[in-house]
Amino acid sequence: MTSHHPTVETVDEGVARVTWPAQLHAADLWAAVDVVRRAVDQALVGHDRVETRVDADDQTAQRVATWSGLRREGVMRGVGGDLIVYARLPSDAPVSEPAGFRSLLNSFLPRKRAIGQLMVRDTEDRVLLCELTYKQDWDLPGGVVEVGESPKLAVAREVREELGLDLVPGDLLLTDWLPPWGGWDDAVCLVFDGGRHDASLLDAIVREEREIRDARFCTPEEVRTHCADFTARRVVAALANVGGATAAYAESGRPAADSG
């Protein structure tokens, strides 16, 4: 007769793996959580790490792993199907404490990518665009916000690193949600006002040549020519809100009401 209880196996020095049959959580999720949590706690006494690997299609088993205090670490792909890896260390704060509970949630809640961009204009209201080395479409200067970094600091850093310009981002002009595309997950793009400058600003640019092939001020017609359609829409939407009282919101460059 097959046991419905968890099993604990030492799989490496200091590492234990907890497994349990689907029958354990088939009848009562929270009873299963209680049983698995006790197995994890017992395994931590003699190990430096306790882990489990759960089928990526088994939502209930993922809930059992999470609420048993195991933090999601990542996905092992192609191992008889994708497996989600969860683990707990003796140094992890108890889930009953606020810090431990927040860390647990942080391990599996969505982490949406954020991108900061700067809308820099010249006195003729042309827009500064960058020709990038790693894609055909041109784009506004900026880049991905790093972990623990504010979007405003990120865009200033990116512009300094890629163009050698020390520009202070102004007001937020646009929040543009970008749907999944071309292998990228979805993201939120924040476009800040970079102000108006004399066209001679181009002379001060020092390009990061691994990423930036060229940078120039472009008319609206040139924006449409050089940019992907969703980027061109974003530029237009951000320009329309220069001097606005509040930042605009768009989805793929379109007003939210029209995004569907």
Side-chain angles (χ1 to χ4, degrees):
M1 181 175 179
T2 303
S3 172
H4 290 181
H5 295 287
T7 60
V8 177
E9 177 187 7
T10 299
V11 294
D12 203 346
E13 184 176 355
V15 180
R17 186 170 300 154
V18 178
T19 58
W20 62 92
Q23 294 92 328
L24 180 64
H25 56 251
D28 190 328
L29 169 68
W30 296 108
V33 166
D34 185 60
V35 171
V36 174
R37 181 174 57 237
R38 283 190 274 114
V40 170
D41 290 342
Q42 291 170 5
L44 281 172
V45 174
H47 296 88
D48 299 321
R49 171 185 171 87
V50 178
E51 67 178 32
T52 193
R53 298 175 182 180
V54 176
D55 191 314
D57 294 325
D58 192 337
Q59 298 290 331
T60 304
Q62 292 170 41
R63 294 182 67 191
V64 172
T66 296
W67 299 119
S68 298
L70 296 160
R71 300 184 189 181
R72 176 171 169 147
E73 294 186 335
V75 179
M76 293 180 62
R77 298 181 297 142
V79 187
D82 293 348
L83 299 176
I84 302 178
V85 179
Y86 294 83
R88 186 163 186 82
L89 308 180
S91 57
D92 290 343
V95 179
S96 57
E97 296 180 2
F101 184 67
R102 288 194 297 267
S103 296
L104 183 69
L105 292 181
N106 193 56
S107 75
F108 71 87
L109 287 175
R111 298 184 181 185
K112 193 176 297 293
R113 184 178 295 110
I115 299 169
Q117 292 189 326
L118 200 63
M119 172 72 70
V120 181
R121 296 162 291 130
D122 69 2
T123 54
E124 298 179 11
D125 281 333
R126 296 180 299 176
V127 176
L128 182 64
L129 291 180
C130 295
E131 181 183 8
L132 306 172
T133 60
Y134 49 87
K135 65 178 182 178
Q136 293 183 338
D137 303 321
W138 292 39
D139 211 340
L140 293 169
V144 175
V145 180
E146 295 180 354
V147 175
E149 182 181 42
S150 82
K152 211 167 193 179
L153 288 177
V155 72
R157 173 186 55 75
E158 288 282 351
V159 171
R160 183 169 58 252
E161 292 175 354
E162 296 183 350
L163 299 178
L165 298 176
D166 283 311
L167 300 178
V168 179
D171 293 336
L172 179 64
L173 298 176
L174 178 70
T175 299
D176 188 20
W177 176 73
L178 310 179
W181 176 82
W184 287 93
D185 292 334
D186 71 325
V188 173
C189 184
L190 305 173
V191 183
F192 294 91
D193 192 352
R196 299 179 75 189
H197 304 264
D198 190 87
S200 61
L201 180 72
L202 296 178
D203 298 332
I205 288 177
V206 179
R207 290 181 293 110
E208 168 47 72
E209 295 185 355
R210 290 174 297 180
E211 296 189 37
I212 309 298
R213 183 175 289 117
D214 192 10
R216 68 178 73 165
F217 285 109
C218 295
T219 64
E221 292 74 19
E222 291 170 326
V223 169
R224 288 190 288 272
T225 298
H226 292 309
C227 296
D229 55 356
F230 56 87
T231 302
R233 291 194 298 266
R234 185 185 316 134
V235 171
V236 170
L239 277 173
N241 202 49
V242 172
T246 59
Y249 174 75
E251 295 184 355
S252 193
R254 299 185 181 93
D258 300 332
S259 61

